[in-house]
Amino acid sequence: MGNFLKKKNNRRSFLKKTALLSTAAAFSTFIPKKIKAAKTYNWKMVTTWPKNFPGLGTCAEIFAKMVNEGSDGKMNITVFGSGEIVPAFEAMDAVSSGAIEMGHGGPYYWKGKVAAAQYLSAIPFGLTPQEQNSWFEKGGGQEIADKIYEKMGCKFFVCGNTGPQMGGWYNKEIKTIEDYQGLKMRAPGLGGEVIKAAGGTVVNIHGGELLTSIQSGAIDALEWVGPYNDLAFGIHKAAKYYYYPGWHEPAAILDCFINLKKWNSLPNNLKKIIALSAKAATQQMTNEMIAGNNMALKTLLNKHGVKVKPFPDEVLKKLAILSNKVLNKLSSSDELSKKVYKSIIKFRNDSIKRSENQKKFLETRMKYVNYEK
């Protein structure tokens, strides 16, 4: 009997130890999965803007903060201004190569790599900010942009919108289309191509060189964005006339581009956080630009006495005709350019009739509301 009880107790002890070992083994297989799911991604974002530059630079910071907080620290993005790691126009090279994980800039900066990219920023006499954002989300723009950026080894997101731009700063009056003959102007993208067709010489420089270039006479005119950004750069100190409207960029989107291999390596929840953060940052930038432009224009007019002038109707008419010729010719050079241009034009044409409502409202508001009070 004693031997039997002893054997029974030994058996219970063996079963207990076996159960504990089985539980420990099961738990040990669970731990690596938790560790893998909790992997932290520390990424760098290089930009084409000066650090924290109003609207454009702050949009990158807003986006990064949203991702960092939304991921509960599982992804940490550190933003670098132009020149801190790479020069402004080398941002795409750094990201395409995989040396840097992601970047922030403007699609037309990459037209030398893929010509179709410039259509994504803006087209002359093209889409309003609302129409542009809608085209990307509902008009097939995101899918086309992904194909364009795939050729550069990147994933694309809209990450910012400047809203309606001004026509630019000039040191001579623009009375006729002939006044563009021999004009040296900073004007990127497709708007710059139209300036060339009008007889101007286009100089492509980044934001940090704008003021010194026009002060030195290296350029006669420039377009940047609008009052909010132009005041920050102090361009009013060196230019005589401030023209509107921004026919060349009725709106302009900014891009967040991510190395494609790095993007594909992310878990789905972080991909979703990035996508939603880019969309939210775009809206925040649009809001910031409207409020900032309102206040900055007042300062330029009332404090600095800036001369704000409309382009003559005849000049705008001829620029529109030139734009149509230039864009039709350029877009026929390759299939991707043709595809993106046709898609934007279709969306614009569909929007024109609907926009008559908004046009009438704006005309009425300007006519009957005393905005000086």
Side-chain angles (χ1 to χ4, degrees), residues 110-156:
W110 324 128
K111 69 176 184 178
K113 301 180 184 301
V114 182
Q118 61 190 321
Y119 296 85
L120 300 175
S121 283
I123 68 168
F125 301 95
L127 303 176
T128 67
Q130 295 86 351
E131 290 166 355
Q132 199 173 39
N133 290 339
S134 180
W135 174 72
F136 275 103
E137 186 169 335
K138 301 296 184 181
Q142 178 68 48
E143 292 76 14
I144 296 174
D146 278 336
K147 289 179 181 177
I148 292 169
Y149 275 63
E150 187 178 2
K151 289 184 171 293
M152 295 183 280
C154 291
K155 169 67 178 172
F156 168 90

Side-chain angles (χ1 to χ4, degrees), residues 2-14:
N3 288 336
F4 173 76
L5 289 174
K6 188 175 180 180
K7 288 179 181 178
K8 191 172 182 181
N9 287 334
N10 288 340
R11 184 170 178 272
R12 284 176 179 168
S13 178
F14 172 76

Side-chain angles (χ1 to χ4, degrees), residues 56-321:
L56 293 84
T58 53
C59 182
E61 297 286 353
I62 289 167
F63 164 77
K65 184 179 180 182
M66 286 180 176
V67 173
N68 297 350
E69 293 180 354
S71 68
D72 198 24
K74 298 300 184 293
M75 170 163 275
N76 298 298
I77 299 171
T78 304
V79 180
F80 295 88
S82 62
E84 289 190 300
I85 296 181
V86 295
F89 296 145
E90 293 180 19
M92 179 58 77
D93 291 328
V95 175
S96 293
S97 69
I100 302 293
E101 290 85 4
M102 64 198 313
H104 189 257
Y108 49 36
Y109 291 151
W110 324 128
K111 69 176 184 178
K113 301 180 184 301
V114 182
Q118 61 190 321
Y119 296 85
L120 300 175
S121 283
I123 68 168
F125 301 95
L127 303 176
T128 67
Q130 295 86 351
E131 290 166 355
Q132 199 173 39
N133 290 339
S134 180
W135 174 72
F136 275 103
E137 186 169 335
K138 301 296 184 181
Q142 178 68 48
E143 292 76 14
I144 296 174
D146 278 336
K147 289 179 181 177
I148 292 169
Y149 275 63
E150 187 178 2
K151 289 184 171 293
M152 295 183 280
C154 291
K155 169 67 178 172
F156 168 90
F157 287 105
V158 174
C159 192
N161 194 316
T162 67
Q165 298 200 9
M166 290 289 282
W169 296 85
Y170 292 74
N171 272 329
K172 70 179 230 181
E173 289 189 77
I174 302 297
K175 297 178 179 179
T176 69
I177 196 71
E178 285 73 28
D179 288 323
Y180 281 100
Q181 289 289 334
L183 188 81
K184 292 178 292 183
M185 183 172 184
R186 185 271 180 190
L190 294 164
E193 297 298 328
V194 177
I195 297 295
K196 286 181 190 176
T201 299
V202 171
V203 181
N204 193 15
I205 55 177
H206 63 77
E209 298 175 348
L210 295 178
L211 182 58
T212 55
S213 295
I214 198 164
Q215 282 177 329
S216 68
I219 56 176
D220 306 308
L222 65 87
E223 70 76 37
W224 181 236
V225 181
Y228 187 40
N229 299 124
D230 297 349
L231 177 63
F233 272 137
I235 302 170
H236 60 279
K237 299 173 185 177
K240 294 180 181 178
Y241 308 106
Y242 200 20
Y243 275 93
Y244 70 92
W247 58 270
H248 62 295
E249 291 182 48
I253 67 100
L254 309 184
D255 59 352
C256 169
F257 46 99
I258 304 170
N259 178 274
L260 198 53
K261 289 182 181 178
K262 301 286 187 180
W263 168 257
N264 289 334
S265 73
L266 291 177
N268 287 334
N269 66 319
L270 290 183
K271 287 181 177 179
K272 190 68 174 178
I273 288 169
I274 287 173
L276 292 174
S277 296
K279 188 176 292 187
T282 298
Q283 185 59 57
Q284 281 211 26
M285 179 182 170
T286 303
N287 298 344
E288 182 181 351
M289 295 301 291
I290 291 171
N293 282 328
N294 289 347
M295 296 305 296
L297 183 59
K298 275 178 151 183
T299 301
L300 288 170
L301 291 171
N302 300 332
K303 183 177 179 180
H304 300 294
V306 169
K307 297 177 182 177
V308 179
K309 299 174 70 68
F311 287 113
D313 286 346
E314 190 61 27
V315 170
L316 289 172
K317 179 181 177 181
K318 289 183 178 179
L319 286 170
I321 293 169

